[in-house]
Amino acid sequence: MWRALKTTLTALLCALLFSPLAVDAAQQKKKKPPRKKPGSEQQQNQQQPAQGEAQKPAEPAPPPSQVFEADRRLWEYKTSEARSALQPVAGQADGNGYVAMALGRVLEQEKKYGEAESQLRKATDLASSDPAPWVYLGEVYLRQKKNGDADAAFRRAVDCGSTKSGGDASYYRGVAQQRLRQYDQAISTLSGAQSPEPGLVAYQIGVTRSFQENWPAALEQLNRAVEENPRIALAYYYRGLVQEKLGRKDLLVNDMETFLKLAPQAPEAELAKAVLRAVKR
């Protein structure tokens, strides 16, 4: 039974993490230049930057404090609380990429994947230089089994994380590398990253180590993640899988039961229940 479950899990991870790159390209229509008015050329030359002068892209609007509160609730899988936290600023989603991103993540946890994709695509338009919305858009594509689009989003996140400095850009770049199966690069990037929430860097390194089947290293990092932040629901799920590989069935049961208590509606919940049924027989 457990061998069959292991095969199912391996197939699931491969479906999530390995897929060909597929990018939809939109053709742009050529527009005729407007007719110049007399005297307008000199005026335009005064407004244009000097030749060779680089134009910096506009910085996205900063996230309001409610976004950070919602983010904490989302990692705890307290989806309704995250939605409530965003209620006062929900009207800003059309102009603030971080509000749109947070709403998209709420919709993903509510399994409204089409609406989540729409919000997250809006977020990538409003904060296109930030890797975070690209990572979450990639996650939603994975939920919809749009694996090629997911790869494209994760690659865009890696590119953004390479050019954007400061904040948690390296964290999201590392997560995107993990999703692209670039495990060594992901660990290197995450090791020097700033965590957007306590415990998340250790959690992501632990997950990456588990994908490499380095079970002792994975357990060490996931233990650290739980110690730093006991409310990261998925940390218990992955630690439970690692416990089984190390032959610690009692600890596997504890972790999977804790995960199901925190996140009973998560997509991974059904597999966690199947693992528990197999272990308890």
Side-chain angles (χ1 to χ4, degrees), residues 25-44:
Q27 296 182 343
Q28 298 181 348
K29 295 182 179 180
K30 295 183 178 179
K31 297 183 180 179
K32 294 182 179 180
R35 296 180 61 184
K36 296 181 179 179
K37 295 181 181 180
S40 63
E41 184 174 351
Q42 182 179 0
Q43 202 172 29
Q44 289 176 359

Side-chain angles (χ1 to χ4, degrees), residues 1-13 213 215 244-245 271 275:
M1 173 61 72
W2 180 247
R3 185 171 298 174
L5 286 172
K6 178 181 176 183
T7 303
T8 301
L9 176 59
T10 302
L12 175 62
L13 291 176
E213 299 187 1
W215 310 120
E244 189 280 331
K245 293 296 183 180
L271 186 54
V275 170

Side-chain angles (χ1 to χ4, degrees), residues 36-59:
K36 296 181 179 179
K37 295 181 181 180
S40 63
E41 184 174 351
Q42 182 179 0
Q43 202 172 29
Q44 289 176 359
N45 289 337
Q46 291 175 350
Q47 294 174 352
Q48 291 177 352
Q51 187 174 5
E53 182 180 343
Q55 288 184 321
K56 294 182 179 179
E59 287 293 322

